[in-house]
Amino acid sequence: MTIASPAPPAANPASWLNNQPYLLLSLSSLFWAGNIVLARHVGAHVPPLTMTTIRWFGVFLILLPFAWPHLKRDWPALRRSLALMLFLSLVGFAFNNAISYWAMQYTEALNALLIQSAGPLFVALWSLLLFGVRLTGGQLAGIAISLLGVLTIILRGDLAALASISFNRGDLMFASSLIAFGLYSAFIPRRPKIHQLSFLSFTTCCGAMMLLPAAIWEAMSGSVMHFDALTLATLGYILIFPSTLAYLFFNRGVALIGPNRAAPFFHLVPVFGSAMAILLLGEKLQPFHLIGYALVLAGVVIASRQGSAAK
């Protein structure tokens, strides 16, 4: 009698997802696109510094029960790299998010999306200046192609409309948030070798603590949160998707393929943003959408398949 071999164990979906950098980075861009749309929509309901502080304290509390065993084990490594961890908390969580939410009170979504499209260039610039990591020809071509696709979508196929766009202090603030996040992205591969739950829970807690005095000042200045259904729904989305999941996914994606190969995925943010407008707001799908999507996807594929140039 032949005994059948035992069936192979079913693949763990979480383990599978944890090793899919392109999917992880795409999901991060999707969640961040929703965050930009909401930030513009609820600016009058939730003051920016208060929202950012609640965001990171909330993420820390969500993660803490799962992260605690890893934090205890990784504490010696965290303590040895305390200066770097505090720096990453500042540029990647405190400053970057607070200034971007604040900027959305002064700028239009179109301007923010245009500036967002420069994100990969900031990552590449910091990687070059700090660590000598140069873009390959394929990465540079991919970023340029995907940038053209972003402009096609945002400008609705009329590149001449770029000349009519004016920039204000909100645009400069939003650009500074991207410069900070580019710095964060460039340093991610240099972080201590710890569990990503340890990393994210520690940096979100530190980022929230850094912002707390500013949030108190904001409240004492008369900018208070309006508690209504819109505010609660917005905070629920922000805590789960663009904060907890997006950062876990982004950090893992960068760890797997490096910052320069991951950077072009920033260009998916305005692509997803325009798709949300079509699906949720009833905007009509136009030929320029399809052209722009094709260019962005082509650029992302070209750039992400190329290794980083040697130092």
Side-chain angles (χ1 to χ4, degrees), residues 108 155 170:
E108 299 296 326
L155 301 177

Side-chain angles (χ1 to χ4, degrees), residues 175-254:
S176 70
S177 76
L178 283 180
I179 293 172
F181 196 76
L183 191 56
Y184 169 85
S185 302
F187 269 97
I188 281 292
R190 274 76 183 175
R191 72 178 189 175
K193 303 300 182 184
I194 58 177
H195 195 279
Q196 63 172 335
L197 287 177
S198 298
F199 176 81
L200 190 56
S201 59
F202 185 89
T203 48
T204 53
C205 181
C206 291
M209 292 298 294
M210 292 174 181
L211 286 166
L212 185 58
I216 294 173
W217 168 82
E218 184 178 60
M220 293 178 64
S221 299
S223 298
V224 296
M225 181 186 303
H226 298 281
F227 285 99
D228 53 23
L230 176 61
T231 298
L232 294 177
T234 298
L235 289 176
Y237 173 83
I238 287 174
L239 285 175
I240 295 172
F241 293 100
S243 304
T244 304
L245 294 180
Y247 272 82
L248 283 171
F249 292 175
F250 179 79
N251 291 343
R252 178 59 177 168
V254 171

